[in-house]
Amino acid sequence: MADWASIQTDILGIIIKKLPIPDYIRFRAVCTSWNNVCKDVSYRPRVDPWLMLPPDQNPLGAQFFCIPERKNQSIRLPSTASLFESVWAPVGSSNGWLIYFSRTYGTMQLVNPISGKHIQLPPLGRRIFSKAKLLEMNERNFIVAVLYADEKGYKVTRQGSSNWSSVESKFILDDIIKHRGRLYTCDMYGTVEMWAEPPHAWPDEEVTHRWRFRCLIETPAGDLIRVKRLCQNKFAVWILDKGTFSWVGTENIGDLALFVSHYNSFCFPANDHPNLKANCIYFIDMYNNLCAFNLEHGTKELVQTLAIGQGQGRNDYYRRPQRDQILWFIPSLE
């Protein structure tokens, strides 16, 4: 029989770089020698964007759909188990962490599905909010902000804090992001504001009081992108020009792909990832289909039909369409 434990390290390294994170975790559990190779930081697994699906009937499991591989992943999350009719609902995601909220207890926690770590946040109360954003996460600090659909401003907490602080704004906020050390928000009328001294605001070029989906996204290169949903199946994109400090419309974001949803949105390089299309925006349409909008051609393409019919999710108290209960997630070993 072949001695799998004695395979050359460089060959194992090539294999590791092609493995998605779930397979990498299984790989390093095979034997001691393979686990030792995995400790080498130069051998890291492939990172793919996942779509977190609404909860099923398994109270301990979270269901994810891996976009490049087109298959589901189920991960056990004991810290979000439903006990005594309490409900932990995912309401945000960033930096490999999920944000869970329990309306039963009025509490929130950060959960890393890969490492199993979780961080309890200060009590928030049972009031329903619009979304929660993880603005910062590192070894020294984390910052979480909560936006409300019927209240101006936002609430924020950070590592070591025992409560939430309230911050006022002129209008109700749709999104919030920390970019290059500064805070940016987008309000209900599409105005993007930089919270700095002196402050700066960019009104939306479309004068309308009709609500549209809008979000702010940071690219791996450190650029800030503004996305607006023009109609059910069309989007527009602008990039903040660092020289003129103005928004420039574009139909070409190179080899990047954008993933947008109500709770979170992010940018991801599409090269070297099977089944990912560059210069596209991935989103959930009104029929609960995963679709890709091609920015250059202005066309929509069906990627996957999702089994998330009416009544499948448990977090119905949010009273949002099923497509708004889905969020994107990038798994992380950190």
Side-chain angles (χ1 to χ4, degrees):
M1 294 182 61
D3 185 7
W4 296 105
S6 61
I7 297 179
Q8 296 180 14
T9 300
D10 55 343
I11 296 178
L12 290 175
I14 295 174
I15 295 174
I16 290 172
K17 292 179 180 179
K18 295 181 178 296
L19 294 177
I21 286 182
D23 290 341
Y24 168 80
I25 294 174
R26 301 182 187 101
F27 179 92
R28 68 186 185 186
V30 170
C31 61
T32 302
S33 61
W34 288 17
N35 185 57
N36 289 334
V37 174
C38 291
K39 293 178 180 179
D40 189 333
V41 294
S42 61
Y43 300 134
R44 308 302 291 173
R46 192 183 78 224
V47 177
D48 298 323
W50 290 1
L51 185 66
M52 188 176 187
L53 303 175
D56 59 12
Q57 299 304 312
N58 179 4
L60 296 181
Q63 298 291 325
F64 299 90
F65 178 74
C66 179
I67 308 301
E69 295 193 329
R70 305 288 175 85
K71 69 178 184 180
N72 288 352
Q73 298 282 353
S74 182
I75 299 181
R76 181 182 173 88
L77 299 176
S79 65
T80 64
S82 297
L83 300 174
F84 307 109
E85 299 183 351
S86 67
V87 176
W88 284 101
V91 294
S93 169
S94 182
N95 298 311
W97 291 80
L98 293 168
I99 307 175
Y100 273 88
F101 174 67
S102 170
R103 192 183 181 196
T104 304
Y105 298 117
T107 56
M108 185 176 286
Q109 62 174 321
L110 304 177
V111 178
N112 187 317
I114 305 302
S115 68
K117 295 181 180 178
H118 61 97
I119 302 172
Q120 193 70 36
L121 301 182
L124 182 63
R126 298 182 180 182
R127 182 182 172 191
I128 297 175
F129 53 86
S130 175
K131 67 175 70 173
K133 298 293 293 284
L134 182 59
L135 300 179
E136 181 178 320
M137 170 59 79
N138 54 52
E139 296 179 354
R140 301 181 302 275
N141 187 34
F142 65 79
I143 302 176
V144 179
V146 171
L147 307 182
Y148 291 88
D150 58 354
E151 181 180 304
K152 301 174 184 178
Y154 63 93
K155 290 186 177 180
V156 64
T157 191
R158 62 185 67 234
Q159 182 173 333
S161 177
S162 59
N163 53 32
W164 294 80
S165 301
S166 296
V167 181
E168 295 183 355
S169 66
K170 188 175 181 180
F171 298 108
I172 293 173
L173 301 178
D174 274 350
D175 203 10
I176 185 170
I177 190 174
K178 192 174 183 181
H179 170 68
R180 294 182 177 272
R182 292 176 173 174
L183 201 64
Y184 290 76
T185 58
C186 182
D187 68 27
M188 60 188 297
Y189 300 116
T191 297
V192 177
E193 184 174 358
M194 180 183 70
W195 297 54
E197 289 297 336
H200 196 99
W202 298 267
D204 195 329
E205 66 288 337
E206 178 187 22
V207 181
T208 178
H209 290 272
R210 182 172 57 177
W211 181 88
R212 294 188 185 276
F213 170 83
R214 301 177 177 91
C215 67
L216 300 172
I217 303 174
E218 186 176 64
T219 71
D223 292 316
L224 186 61
I225 289 180
R226 176 167 63 98
V227 179
K228 180 168 68 173
R229 195 170 195 162
L230 302 178
C231 60
Q232 286 293 340
N233 300 316
K234 289 187 178 295
F235 294 83
V237 170
W238 294 263
I239 298 179
L240 185 61
D241 187 279
K242 300 174 185 176
T244 62
F245 217 48
S246 60
W247 293 99
V248 180
T250 182
E251 296 177 351
N252 184 9
I253 55 174
D255 64 353
L256 300 175
L258 303 179
F259 299 79
V260 301
S261 71
H262 169 77
Y263 285 120
N264 73 318
S265 304
F266 59 74
C267 182
F268 196 85
N271 56 329
D272 299 329
H273 282 77
N275 296 323
L276 276 189
K277 295 182 179 295
N279 202 36
C280 285
I281 298 177
Y282 285 82
F283 69 102
I284 308 300
D285 71 5
M286 64 184 299
Y287 303 106
N288 295 333
N289 295 317
L290 172 59
C291 301
F293 174 74
N294 187 293
L295 280 169
E296 180 181 4
H297 303 296
T299 56
K300 164 192 168 183
E301 176 184 335
L302 175 65
V303 177
Q304 184 78 22
T305 299
L306 304 174
I308 54 173
Q310 188 68 24
Q312 183 165 339
R314 287 200 307 266
N315 43 343
D316 57 341
Y317 56 81
Y318 284 101
R319 303 192 184 280
R320 295 188 179 277
Q322 285 283 338
R323 65 180 182 273
D324 285 349
Q325 297 180 18
I326 295 177
L327 55 82
W328 297 102
F329 176 69
I330 298 181
S332 173
L333 295 167
E334 300 298 331

